[in-house]
């Protein structure tokens, strides 16, 4: 359904695509070829339990962040099926709140604009710059940023860890941001019935 929602928002997805959706309690990974599902998995790797284990209420302690990155990397190495991790990816697509928030911040939006976020290309270097920027702030300062919902202020750092580790694991320097995801896939499914 997430693949269907992303396709409805971005249009046809030629070639091999990797797709990931970071949630509170899990992260979903999908591999598709020419819009045909190849493999999908839901990992119990969400931003909420990571934020509970690796809280950053003040400026980020980079040694602890390194521990967070090692945790996420180890989980992906152990739990991401080879059909998802080992295959060639022509394009990586990210959806849901962490990725759309990073796109809005990368674009420098004063207010969230879904039409500008949709299809934005987010480079790994930009994510790393955002990590440095957000990591220098307290959780209260992060919450005050435009386009960063106050409820996401403590979750964005673990979310960035998942984004960066996913990009490294799938060997890509850029991801395409999809404002559309599971919800839109459900609606597309209902309309098609």
């Amino acid at each position: 359904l997430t693949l269907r929602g992303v396709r409805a928002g971005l249009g046809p997805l030629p070639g091999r695509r990797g797709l990931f959706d970071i949630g509170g309690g899990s992260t979903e990974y999908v591999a598709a070829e020419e819009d045909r599902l190849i493999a999908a998995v839901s990992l119990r790797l969400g931003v909420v339990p990571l934020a509970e284990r690796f809280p950053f209420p003040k400026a980020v302690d980079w040694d602890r962040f390194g521990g967070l990155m090692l945790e996420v990397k180890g989980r992906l190495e152990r739990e991401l099926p080879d059909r998802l991790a080992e295959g060639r990816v022509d394009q990586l697509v990210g959806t849901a709140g962490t990725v759309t928030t990073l796109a809005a911040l990368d674009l420098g939006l004063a207010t969230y604009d879904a039409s500008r976020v949709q299809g934005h290309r987010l480079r790994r270097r930009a994510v790393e710059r955002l990590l440095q920027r957000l990591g220098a702030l307290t959780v209260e300062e992060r919450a005050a940023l435009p386009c960063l919902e106050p409820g996401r202020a403590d979750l964005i750092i673990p979310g960035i860890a998942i984004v960066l580790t996913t990009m490294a694991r799938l060997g890509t320097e850029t991801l395409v941001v999809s404002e559309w995801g599971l919800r839109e896939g459900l609606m597309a499914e209902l309309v098609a019935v």
Side-chain angles (χ1 to χ4, degrees):
L1 290 173
T2 301
L3 176 63
R4 188 170 193 161
V6 166
R7 186 191 183 285
L10 294 176
L13 303 173
R16 184 176 172 105
R17 298 290 178 259
L19 165 66
F20 70 111
D21 178 340
I22 300 171
S26 65
T27 299
E28 282 67 51
Y29 290 90
V30 174
E33 181 94 36
E34 303 293 335
D35 291 330
R36 182 180 54 84
L37 181 68
I38 295 172
V41 66
S42 179
L43 304 182
R44 293 183 58 86
L45 179 66
V47 292
V48 172
L50 287 175
E52 290 169 351
R53 290 191 54 222
F54 297 92
F56 296 103
K58 306 289 182 204
V60 168
D61 173 324
W62 295 110
D63 288 337
R64 288 189 62 239
F65 183 78
L68 169 60
M69 288 290 285
L70 285 173
E71 167 79 17
V72 175
K73 180 181 180 210
R75 295 282 306 276
L76 291 184
E77 286 174 352
R78 289 188 308 273
E79 299 173 27
L80 200 60
D82 289 345
R83 292 183 73 191
L84 287 161
E86 303 295 328
R88 169 189 57 82
V89 175
D90 296 315
Q91 191 172 66
L92 179 62
V93 178
T95 187
T98 294
V99 174
T100 57
T101 298
L102 291 174
L105 291 170
D106 185 46
L107 287 163
L109 300 180
T111 57
Y112 190 84
D113 182 346
S115 67
R116 293 201 48 210
V117 167
Q118 178 73 347
H120 179 66
R121 293 187 174 279
L122 195 55
R123 299 193 53 77
R124 187 190 317 216
R125 283 190 307 254
V127 177
E128 290 167 347
R129 280 193 304 272
L130 287 168
L131 172 61
Q132 293 301 315
R133 176 183 168 200
L134 297 171
L137 304 175
T138 67
V139 72
E140 292 83 10
E141 291 167 331
R142 281 180 236 139
L145 292 173
C147 298
L148 204 156
E149 301 166 7
R152 192 171 299 282
D154 62 336
L155 306 177
I156 194 71
I157 300 298
I160 290 174
I162 295 173
V163 170
L164 288 173
T165 307
T166 297
M167 293 177 84
R169 182 79 172 121
L170 298 181
T172 183
E173 291 296 315
T174 306
L175 69 87
V176 176
V177 177
S178 177
E179 170 66 27
W180 290 29
L182 178 60
R183 183 178 332 142
E184 291 77 14
L186 286 167
M187 289 189 290
E189 181 83 5
L190 291 172
V191 168
V193 172

